[in-house]
Every structure is written in C-alpha cells, then in structure tokens.
Amino acid sequence: MSDDKLAAEEARRAMQHQAVKSDIERDVHADIAARTPPPDRQEVREVARDLQRDAVHEVAQTERELGRARGAARSSQVIDYIFFLVYALLALRLALNLMAARSSAPFVSFVDAVTDPLMYPFTGIVPSPSADGGYTLALPIVIALIVYAILHMAINRILRMMAHRKTEV
C-alpha cells in the first residue's frame, strides 16, 4: 500500500513541477515578446534559429573530434604495446650478447630467431667490439633500439596530430 502511495505522490510532484516549469516558460516567452517591438520579432526569431543551429553544429563537431581522438588514443596504445615488445626483445638480445650467452642454447636461439627480422636493416652498420671470453657489445642492437625509439615517437606524434587536427580555419 505504501509503495502505491509513494508512487502516486511522486507522480503528483512531477506533474506539479512540469506545470510550474511550463508556466514560467510561457511567462518568459510572453515577457520577451512584450519587450520586443513587432518589427524586431522576426529578427529575434531568426537570430534564435541561427544560435540554435550553431549550437547543434558545435555539439556534432565536438562529438566527431572526440571520436577521432578516441580512435587515435586506442591506436597509440596498440603501437606502444608493439614497440615495447620490440624494445624488450632487443634489450634481451643485447643482454645475452653482453653476457656471452651460448648461441646453441634453445632460449638464445629463440631470441635470435625472433629478433633477426628486427635486426636485419642494422646488420653490418658498425663492428661490435668483443672482449676476451666472448663478451660482445652489439652496437647494431643499440642503434636499432635508438632508431625504433625515434620511429615510435614519430608514429605517436602523427597519431596525436591526427587526433587534434583543426577541421575549421
């Protein structure tokens, strides 16, 4: 029983609120109409239509920009993940070279096989200095890390420019 009374009371309050709101709106419109000379009323309506159209256009433009920014942000996250994997694999290869890990070990062979396509453009650029015991500072890996970092920053910068490009001049 009390739930029905509560619902009825809420419905009554909502109707009262709507009635008061309608009365105020009608009074405001009447006040504006009374203060506006008849020749200016048409101009006021046209200005109001223009303002409303501009507001709708601005909201639609903002929605498009937000959608573009969301897409660019998601793309940037995927790019970041891929490059962080590349960095991790190359750093692992560098560490294994510095520690003179045996190339016949399965894990070392796996890391070399996975990173070979990433290292291909950088092989033979500079010699890799070696120390006694097979310890090697693989400078091409360091160069690859630097180049991939620059490429990563450039791609993210392009995505940021696409997300925030200005569509109107």
Side-chain angles (χ1 to χ4, degrees):
M1 245 328 146
S2 65
D3 288 341
D4 293 336
K5 288 180 182 178
L6 185 60
E9 181 64 22
E10 280 297 316
R12 185 184 64 76
R13 284 184 187 168
M15 287 187 345
Q16 279 180 333
H17 175 74
Q18 188 61 35
V20 169
K21 187 174 154 185
S22 296
D23 288 344
I24 291 172
E25 188 175 312
R26 186 177 56 251
D27 291 345
V28 168
H29 286 297
D31 191 35
I32 291 172
R35 292 176 187 226
T36 305
D40 293 341
R41 287 184 187 157
Q42 181 61 29
E43 185 178 347
V44 167
R45 280 190 220 116
E46 289 173 10
V47 168
R49 262 195 307 271
D50 290 345
L51 289 173
Q52 183 180 20
R53 186 177 55 249
D54 290 347
V56 168
H57 177 71
E58 187 175 328
V59 167
Q61 182 69 22
T62 301
E63 284 297 317
R64 283 193 295 272
E65 289 173 6
L66 285 174
R68 188 172 49 242
R70 280 189 208 108
R74 178 60 69 196
S75 298
S76 179
Q77 288 174 338
V78 170
I79 295 294
D80 287 346
Y81 182 75
I82 291 168
F83 272 99
F84 291 143
L85 283 176
V86 168
Y87 300 149
L89 289 169
L90 289 175
L92 185 59
R93 183 172 176 158
L94 179 64
L96 291 171
N97 278 320
L98 285 172
M99 294 186 292
R102 287 190 331 232
S103 59
S104 61
F107 182 71
V108 176
S109 297
F110 169 75
V111 171
D112 286 345
V114 170
T115 56
D116 276 344
L118 299 170
M119 288 302 304
Y120 178 74
F122 306 100
T123 54
I125 289 180
V126 292
S128 298
S130 296
D132 292 337
Y135 303 102
T136 305
L137 175 59
L139 289 179
I141 296 175
V142 175
I143 293 170
L145 282 168
I146 292 169
V147 169
Y148 285 126
I150 292 169
L151 181 64
H152 181 195
M153 288 187 294
I155 291 171
N156 273 340
R157 180 62 65 184
I158 289 169
L159 287 172
R160 188 172 294 127
M161 286 186 331
M162 287 174 46
H164 300 292
R165 73 175 182 220
K166 203 167 186 146
T167 55
E168 291 183 22
V169 180

